[in-house]
């Protein structure tokens, strides 16, 4: 959890007590203690593996494939994933395929 890591960082690097950071971020101290040393969930682990696969396929394409083509390649590898999910993950990762040319757009 990024918020819990941020609170811990503020405590160790800047000396800000976790009680003050929790209050400022409007999270309870019990929530902080629950999440600070928690192992990644199955969803977070799958998302990390999916992000890795998307980066690999995008790089292998010469950074030209968009989400529909990446989704097709992922399905060929056995992933059960939608184009919308791939598009959202690519946007989050800052990956954009080559724009499609249309007759009205300049070359």
């Amino acid at each position: 959890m990024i918020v819990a890591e941020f609170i811990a960082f503020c405590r160790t690097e800047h000396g800000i007590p976790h009680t003050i950071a929790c209050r400022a971020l409007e999270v309870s101290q019990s929530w902080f203690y629950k999440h600070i040393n928690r192992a990644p969930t199955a969803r977070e682990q799958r998302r990390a593996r999916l992000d890795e696969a998307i980066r690999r396929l995008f790089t292998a394409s010469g950074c030209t494939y968009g989400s529909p083509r990446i989704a097709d390649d992922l399905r060929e590898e056995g992933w059960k994933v939608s184009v919308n999910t791939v598009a959202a993950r690519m946007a989050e990762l800052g990956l954009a395929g080559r724009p499609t040319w249309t007759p009205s757009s300049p070359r």
Side-chain angles (χ1 to χ4, degrees):
M1 178 61 59
I2 293 174
V3 174
E5 292 171 5
F6 177 73
I7 293 170
F9 174 80
C10 289
R11 181 176 56 182
T12 57
E13 295 296 319
H14 303 291
I16 299 171
H18 70 278
T19 55
I20 293 173
C22 287
R23 193 175 316 128
L25 296 171
E26 298 181 354
V27 296
S28 67
Q29 291 180 51
S30 61
W31 177 92
F32 168 71
Y33 284 116
K34 177 181 177 183
H35 288 91
I36 189 59
N37 292 320
R38 176 179 64 85
T41 63
R43 176 182 285 178
E44 291 169 338
Q45 291 173 0
R46 181 183 189 271
R47 182 169 291 155
R49 290 191 313 271
L50 179 61
D51 288 351
E52 180 184 325
I54 289 171
R55 280 190 196 100
R56 178 179 45 79
L57 291 170
F58 184 74
T59 302
S61 76
C63 302
T64 59
Y65 288 176
S67 55
R69 180 65 185 266
I70 298 284
D72 288 343
D73 291 348
L74 287 168
R75 286 188 206 109
E76 287 177 12
E77 292 182 2
W79 286 87
K80 291 185 179 182
V81 65
S82 72
V83 174
N84 290 340
T85 299
V86 174
R89 297 309 311 149
M90 286 180 71
E92 181 77 22
L93 297 169
L95 306 176
R98 184 181 54 142
T100 311
W101 180 81
T102 58
S104 61
S105 65
R107 282 192 152 190

